[in-house]
Amino acid sequence: MKQRTYLCIDLKSFYASVECVARGMDPMTENLVVADPERTEKTICLAITPAMKALGIRNRCRIFEIPKHVRYTVAPPRMQKYIDTAADIYSIYLQYIAREDIHVYSIDEAFMDVTDYLTLYHLSARELGQQIMTEIFRSTGIRATCGVGSNLYLAKIALDITAKHAEDFIGELNEDSYRTQLWDHRPLTDFWRIGSGTARRLEPYGIRTMRDIAKADEDFLYHLFGIDAELLIDHAFGRETVTMADIKSYRSHTNCLGSGQVLGSDYSFDKGLLVVKEMMDLLCLDLVEKNLITGSVTLHVGYANRFNVTSAHGTTSTDVETNSDLLLIPAVTDLYRRIVNPAYPIHRINITCNNVMPEEYHQYNFFLDGAELERSRRMQQAVISIKNRFGKDAILKGMNLEEGATTRERNHQIGGHKSGL
């Protein structure tokens, strides 16, 4: 098999950098945090500038954790602007690399298989990475870092661990240099896919580095982690079998559609039920617009942190696969009443429509008149059409105006944060 070469490019402190550029500030020297000032000081900063990280302030900290003597600018989140900027940067990638050789890992990070482009451009992988980074900065003012690797995993590790210490912000690894440079690197949590839980499970056995994992008995690791040990062992040796082609050809056997939110304050049982109805109503519209149906819905409700009982969880099924609000809202309402304890305040809600599939016919139910379902369906389609043309607030239901309702606020959010529109 031909040796592949990958780049992994990350946009430094992306949200904070976008806000700095908009203000004519340099994120490398200016202190700025992206956080919603309308929330409490416990709110998490979505991003902080490299200048603040240099002061020892950790990324994703809470506002109250920033030392009082540090002066900084607070920028309210503008998620739509970040999405638009990320799209502009993706268009820069496309100037160099074909779409089928790019995998967007997150809004600020992307993998590229550059194997067949190095000869075309008469450049090394490092030179190509530098050229792309330079164009990103020239076009947007956003600084980037880059990892170069002989497989996807090593490109990611080169980005996360070695690039930050390089003068040109580019790290480069193959299997040999990985073992030479990083086998004894600590902590283990610096490595992709090794979280604090995995590190804690390995610690009692004296396994604290990738060298320790590579030298450990494989049967013991499989006993400790099950099938996940296979990936852990491969990564300890710097191996990765997945290619860009594998990523592009992957198709999930089942699909779900979900919605979740963390409430701005602890909600009572009745207010929580109102939000569940709102969320299910919007999910029904989403199903109709995408021509999808579902036969079961899962509800997860998280209680306030001060209680020992953390959450309620359950799944309900409908008689037929459907996207009708006349069927799904009563189903999730009944599920909520069955599984949620009214004594505990509610702080988080997640709803998932399971095993969604393409709609091939209209759904009917023995307990509901077919004409009534058709009227409801046409109404849903009309609501979707109006919202798409005039905005999400163009049509609101009575429940959206009740105390504790969240739909109007969420209509102006992306990913639970202000869209900036």
Side-chain angles (χ1 to χ4, degrees):
M1 182 181 293
K2 184 177 181 180
Q3 177 68 52
R4 313 303 297 181
T5 302
Y6 296 92
L7 301 183
C8 185
I9 294 182
D10 175 71
L11 309 173
K12 287 179 69 66
S13 302
F14 180 51
Y15 297 163
S17 293
V18 171
E19 295 296 345
C20 281
V21 170
R23 291 165 171 77
M25 300 163 58
D26 184 351
M28 305 304 290
T29 59
E30 299 284 351
N31 295 335
L32 180 142
V33 304
V34 178
D36 190 347
E38 295 180 5
R39 300 185 181 183
T40 69
E41 64 174 10
K42 293 182 180 179
T43 189
I44 294 176
C45 299
L46 296 184
I48 63 175
T49 55
M52 295 189 71
K53 294 178 184 177
L55 297 175
I57 301 170
R58 65 181 181 86
N59 197 31
R60 303 284 293 176
C61 65
R62 298 181 185 272
I63 287 287
F64 74 85
E65 294 176 323
I66 300 175
K68 301 300 182 184
H69 68 275
V70 176
R71 299 177 63 85
Y72 56 90
T73 300
V74 177
R78 294 189 289 173
M79 301 306 294
Q80 188 59 55
K81 182 171 181 61
Y82 310 147
I83 292 171
D84 293 342
T85 303
D88 291 340
I89 293 172
Y90 182 71
S91 69
I92 294 173
Y93 298 154
L94 292 175
Q95 296 174 19
Y96 296 88
I97 311 295
R99 190 184 308 272
E100 58 267 25
D101 291 318
I102 303 173
H103 171 59
V104 177
Y105 184 63
S106 66
I107 191 171
D108 60 352
E109 195 168 329
F111 288 93
M112 303 174 202
D113 184 343
V114 298
T115 308
D116 299 324
Y117 298 88
L118 303 181
T119 302
L120 174 66
Y121 295 132
H122 303 289
L123 296 172
S124 68
R126 177 180 287 270
E127 290 169 338
L128 178 56
Q130 184 64 70
Q131 193 163 317
I132 295 173
M133 292 163 61
T134 299
E135 180 59 26
I136 291 171
F137 183 72
R138 187 194 68 79
S139 299
T140 68
I142 306 296
R143 289 181 172 84
T145 56
C146 177
V148 180
S150 53
N151 59 47
L152 288 165
Y153 171 72
L154 291 177
K156 174 66 172 170
I157 297 304
L159 172 75
D160 289 345
I161 300 179
T162 64
K164 64 181 64 175
H165 303 297
E167 289 187 5
D168 58 0
F169 296 111
I170 299 177
E172 191 167 1
L173 290 172
N174 57 35
E175 290 185 22
D176 290 335
S177 61
Y178 170 78
R179 297 173 197 176
T180 301
Q181 298 176 31
L182 298 179
W183 250 17
D184 296 314
H185 177 88
R186 295 175 67 175
L188 265 177
T189 50
D190 281 351
F191 291 86
W192 186 51
R193 291 185 58 90
I194 296 186
S196 57
T198 299
R200 282 196 301 269
R201 293 179 70 181
L202 292 169
E203 175 71 26
Y205 305 100
I207 300 176
R208 302 179 180 89
T209 65
M210 279 300 190
R211 181 191 298 275
D212 294 336
I213 295 175
K215 301 298 183 181
D217 179 73
E218 290 192 4
D219 290 338
F220 166 74
L221 293 174
Y222 276 100
H223 174 75
L224 201 59
F225 295 105
I227 190 63
D228 290 340
E230 180 177 355
L231 193 63
L232 189 64
I233 294 167
D234 276 351
H235 286 179
F237 286 96
R239 299 189 297 249
E240 176 58 69
T241 59
V242 174
T243 65
M244 184 67 71
D246 293 328
I247 294 174
K248 294 297 183 178
S249 64
Y250 175 78
R251 297 293 182 272
S252 175
H253 293 297
T254 60
N255 294 287
C256 300
L257 189 67
S259 175
Q261 61 177 298
V262 177
L263 301 170
S265 61
D266 294 341
Y267 270 41
S268 66
F269 179 86
D270 289 337
K271 284 187 177 180
L273 178 56
L274 170 64
V275 174
V276 166
K277 290 179 179 179
E278 285 189 299
M279 293 170 66
M280 192 68 250
D281 181 48
L282 293 178
L283 277 172
C284 288
L285 291 177
D286 207 11
L287 287 167
V288 171
E289 186 171 21
K290 291 178 169 66
N291 294 313
L292 298 172
I293 54 178
T294 184
S296 72
V297 178
T298 296
L299 175 65
H300 184 93
V301 175
Y303 298 122
N305 291 333
R306 63 181 180 273
F307 295 95
N308 292 329
V309 180
T310 58
S311 63
H313 185 89
T315 299
T316 186
S317 299
T318 54
D319 294 329
V320 294
E321 284 78 17
T322 183
N323 53 29
S324 172
D325 53 357
L326 294 182
L327 297 174
L328 291 174
I329 292 179
V332 79
T333 297
D334 179 65
L335 175 62
Y336 178 91
R337 295 187 186 280
R338 285 192 284 112
I339 67 172
V340 176
N341 190 328
Y344 299 130
I346 294 166
H347 196 63
R348 300 177 305 281
I349 299 173
N350 290 84
I351 303 177
T352 304
C353 298
N354 305 309
N355 301 318
V356 297
M357 62 188 73
E359 180 182 21
E360 297 177 352
Y361 55 88
H362 296 330
Q363 321 90 39
Y364 297 100
N365 182 283
F366 290 118
F367 303 102
L368 284 174
D369 180 72
E372 184 179 0
L373 284 173
E374 281 299 313
R375 283 195 300 272
S376 174
R377 178 184 181 80
R378 288 195 296 271
M379 186 177 298
Q380 286 177 298
Q381 291 172 331
V383 168
I384 292 168
S385 177
I386 293 171
K387 284 176 176 284
N388 286 342
R389 183 175 180 183
F390 299 106
K392 295 180 179 179
D393 287 339
I395 292 183
L396 295 170
K397 292 188 174 181
M399 64 178 173
N400 304 139
L401 304 176
E402 293 185 31
E403 182 183 354
T406 63
T407 292
R408 285 185 296 168
E409 180 182 3
R410 285 168 60 81
N411 280 346
H412 302 280
Q413 295 179 342
I414 299 175
H417 303 285
K418 289 182 177 180
S419 66
L421 298 178

